Every structure is written in structure tokens, then in C-alpha cells.
Amino acid sequence: QVQLVESGGGSVQAGGSLRLSCVVPRYTDRPYCMGWFRQIPGAEREGVAAIGTALGTTSYADSVKGRFTISQDNAKNTLYLQMNSLKPEDTAMYYCAAGGSSVTPLAAGKYNYWGQGTQVTVSS
């Protein structure tokens, strides 16, 4: 069973920043995409950002464009999500995931492996 491990969540005031990290195991077959998703109770899991592991092509949800940056450090087997100018509506459980689709990189259903989640809380 592939295990992804997130860290870096916490509580911050609006306008602040956080950086999430996700340690990625060495795959036999590299996944096409790595992504960050978020979910609040009672809602569907929302795609936030994704990166193609081969070329580093990125995709973002409109709600986070210009504020969040996804990146990968292949030497450290780590995926990052830098979150700046945080808003209260960014409050959610954040998950990293591996798998993905080149056609719909922010579609949660296309991802095979998930981390346990890390909570982000933004206060106004």
C-alpha cells in the first residue's frame, strides 16, 4: 500500500502563509500527476493544484491562482504547496495525492493514492 505523508498544516490569520509538504514514496512507475486537494465537512473534495511529474506542468483552481504554488523536489521525494495571502475560505483539510489524469489533473477521482490529510485553519 502506497503511503503519502503530509505535514505543515496549522492555524494562521488571514493574509498569512503556510507551506504544506508531502513525502512521496519511490514508485516503481512514476505517477503522471501529483496533486493537492482540500475538503470541508459535507462537501466534495476539491482539486487545488496539480503538477505533472515529468515536465512540471502545473494546474490550479481559479480560487487559488496567484496565491498558491505547487512544486516538487525529486531529490527529496517531496511535494510542496506554498500558500500565500490565505483567506478564511481556504480553511479545510488538505490532502496530497498521486495518480491523476492529463486531461483532468484536478479531478480527485482520477487519483489512486492519498495521504491522511493536514488541517489548515485561517481566521479572519
Side-chain angles (χ1 to χ4, degrees), residues 39-62:
Q39 189 172 24
I40 58 174
E44 292 187 357
R45 197 162 290 189
E46 173 193 18
V48 174
I51 186 167
T53 59
L55 299 179
T57 305
T58 57
S59 301
Y60 295 94
D62 288 343

Side-chain angles (χ1 to χ4, degrees), residues 23-74:
V23 177
V24 182
R26 294 184 183 275
Y27 294 96
T28 301
D29 298 315
R30 188 199 340 228
Y32 181 85
C33 281
M34 297 291 300
W36 287 98
F37 294 79
R38 65 188 181 188
Q39 189 172 24
I40 58 174
E44 292 187 357
R45 197 162 290 189
E46 173 193 18
V48 174
I51 186 167
T53 59
L55 299 179
T57 305
T58 57
S59 301
Y60 295 94
D62 288 343
S63 59
V64 306
K65 281 180 181 177
R67 300 188 298 122
F68 291 11
T69 303
I70 188 171
S71 62
Q72 58 183 356
D73 185 332
N74 291 329

Side-chain angles (χ1 to χ4, degrees), residues 3 8-9 16 19 24 26 28 40 47 49 51 54-56 68 71 75 78-79 84 88 95 97 101 110 112 115 121:
Q3 284 269 290
R19 187 176 79 159
V24 182
R26 294 184 183 275
T28 301
I40 58 174
I51 186 167
L55 299 179
F68 291 11
S71 62
T78 303
L79 179 73
N84 298 327
Y95 300 88
S101 162
K110 299 296 185 180
N112 308 105
T121 302

Side-chain angles (χ1 to χ4, degrees), residues 7-21:
S7 62
S11 296
V12 65
Q13 289 192 327
S17 298
L18 285 172
R19 187 176 79 159
L20 306 182
S21 300

Side-chain angles (χ1 to χ4, degrees), residues 71-87:
S71 62
Q72 58 183 356
D73 185 332
N74 291 329
K76 296 182 179 179
N77 293 331
T78 303
L79 179 73
Y80 299 101
L81 184 68
Q82 177 67 44
M83 305 186 294
N84 298 327
S85 302
L86 282 161
K87 304 175 180 180

